[in-house]
């Protein structure tokens, strides 16, 4: 019996969803085509009807709207805002926590992918650059909204690909620096002993919150 016209697009989405989850959990280099297809409940032979190779698959994942933050993290951020907590503090405390570094599959894809995509081809690097640019832009928007900057968009989903408008350039610079600090802190914390990891996370978190005026200079926060 021949497949319906909708079969191939649906199969492609299954592969993309499975690959996105695998890339976020294990990184780019450590994921094989066989693992992706097994996670999608498909055989390896069907892969090449949709993608040329693993790099082509990664690019497609990004173009499909690869989510950087998992649903549990986004839910916690929304809950914090609903309870009246400021977004930056909630984000820093969630991102720079032991829970995050010990559960990469539930966290942000950037620390896992950033150490590996650099060794990949130009297409994968370009796709990853797109992810970074989208992430810094959305973070800049959240910072500007928290500061009540007039004239920017009223609401944008932090995990969407909608273009931000009327964003002051200084917020783009601040978000780039903040993201680099947080991603770097998570990468380092996953590579060291618990005591060193706690210090890296706490110092980075304090530095970010101090720069945003959330805590005064010299005040410390308990390690997450």
């Amino acid at each position: 019996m021949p497949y319906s016209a909708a079969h191939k697009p649906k199969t492609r989405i299954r592969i993309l969803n499975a690959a996105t989850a695998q890339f976020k959990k294990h990184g780019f280099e450590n994921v094989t085509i066989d693992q992706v297809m097994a996670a999608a409940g498909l055989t390896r032979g069907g892969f090449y009807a949709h993608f040329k190779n693993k790099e082509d698959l990664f690019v497609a994942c990004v173009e499909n709207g690869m989510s950087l933050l998992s649903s549990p993290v986004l839910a916690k951020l929304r809950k914090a805002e609903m309870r009246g907590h400021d977004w930056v503090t909630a984000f820093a405390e969630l991102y720079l926590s032991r829970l995050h570094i010990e559960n990469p599959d539930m966290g942000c894809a950037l620390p896992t992918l950033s150490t590996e995509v650099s060794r990949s081809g130009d297409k994968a690097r370009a796709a990853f650059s797109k992810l970074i640019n989208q992430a810094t832009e959305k973070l800049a928007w959240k910072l500007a909204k928290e500061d009540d900057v007039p004239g920017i968009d009223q609401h944008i989903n932090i995990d969407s690909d909608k273009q931000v408008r009327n964003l002051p350039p200084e917020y783009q610079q601040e978000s780039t620096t903040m993201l680099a600090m947080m991603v770097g802190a998570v990468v380092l914390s996953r590579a060291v002993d618990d005591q060193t990891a706690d210090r890296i996370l706490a110092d980075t978190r304090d530095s970010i919150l101090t720069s945003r005026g959330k805590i005064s200079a010299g005040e410390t926060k308990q390690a997450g």
Side-chain angles (χ1 to χ4, degrees):
M1 180 177 177
Y3 290 121
S4 69
H7 177 76
K8 187 171 183 178
K10 288 181 178 179
T11 301
R12 179 183 172 88
I13 291 298
R14 283 176 63 184
I15 297 172
L16 288 174
N17 289 341
T20 295
Q22 292 291 310
F23 286 141
K24 289 179 68 175
K25 183 175 182 178
H26 302 295
F28 180 79
E29 293 293 333
N30 294 326
V31 172
T32 66
I33 292 173
D34 286 336
Q35 288 174 322
V36 170
M37 297 303 282
L42 301 165
T43 60
R44 181 188 176 95
F47 176 85
Y48 296 100
H50 301 273
F51 308 101
K52 295 179 181 178
N53 49 40
K54 190 172 73 171
E55 184 177 16
D56 187 37
L57 172 62
F58 178 74
V59 173
C61 286
V62 175
E63 292 176 345
N64 189 55
M66 185 176 186
S67 173
L68 290 177
L69 299 176
S70 66
S71 295
V73 172
L74 289 171
K76 287 182 179 180
L77 289 174
R78 294 189 190 103
K79 186 179 293 185
E81 286 186 291
M82 290 174 62
R83 291 177 176 174
H85 303 304
D86 67 87
W87 189 89
V88 171
T89 298
F91 184 46
E93 289 179 347
L94 276 171
Y95 202 100
L96 299 166
S97 68
R98 292 295 298 274
L99 179 66
H100 187 193
I101 67 171
E102 292 170 1
N103 297 275
D105 54 321
M106 292 173 22
C108 176
L110 294 182
T112 306
L113 294 172
S114 60
T115 57
E116 298 178 339
V117 175
S118 61
R119 298 191 294 270
S120 303
D122 291 341
K123 288 184 178 179
R125 290 165 65 94
F128 191 65
S129 297
K130 180 179 178 181
L131 280 179
I132 294 291
N133 291 331
Q134 290 175 343
T136 55
E137 187 174 67
K138 298 305 183 299
L139 178 55
W141 175 80
K142 293 296 290 188
L143 297 176
K145 285 294 291 182
E146 190 164 88
D147 288 351
D148 295 321
V149 174
I152 66 170
D153 295 320
Q154 291 302 304
H155 179 74
I156 290 178
N157 186 333
I158 192 66
D159 214 37
S160 77
D161 59 359
K162 184 177 178 181
Q163 186 73 26
V164 175
R165 298 187 301 273
N166 306 318
L167 186 64
E170 60 267 25
Y171 283 95
Q172 184 74 38
Q173 180 181 7
E174 182 181 6
S175 70
T176 299
T177 302
M178 184 181 296
L179 188 67
M181 289 176 64
M182 292 194 298
V183 171
V186 172
V187 170
L188 291 177
S189 296
R190 286 177 176 163
V192 297
D193 59 71
D194 290 349
Q195 183 177 1
T196 305
D198 287 341
R199 177 173 56 79
I200 292 170
L201 294 172
D203 288 350
T204 306
R205 189 169 56 243
D206 288 353
S207 179
I208 289 172
L209 296 182
T210 299
S211 71
R212 293 293 298 165
K214 305 302 179 183
I215 59 175
S216 60
E219 182 182 353
T220 59
K221 304 281 282 185
Q222 184 177 354

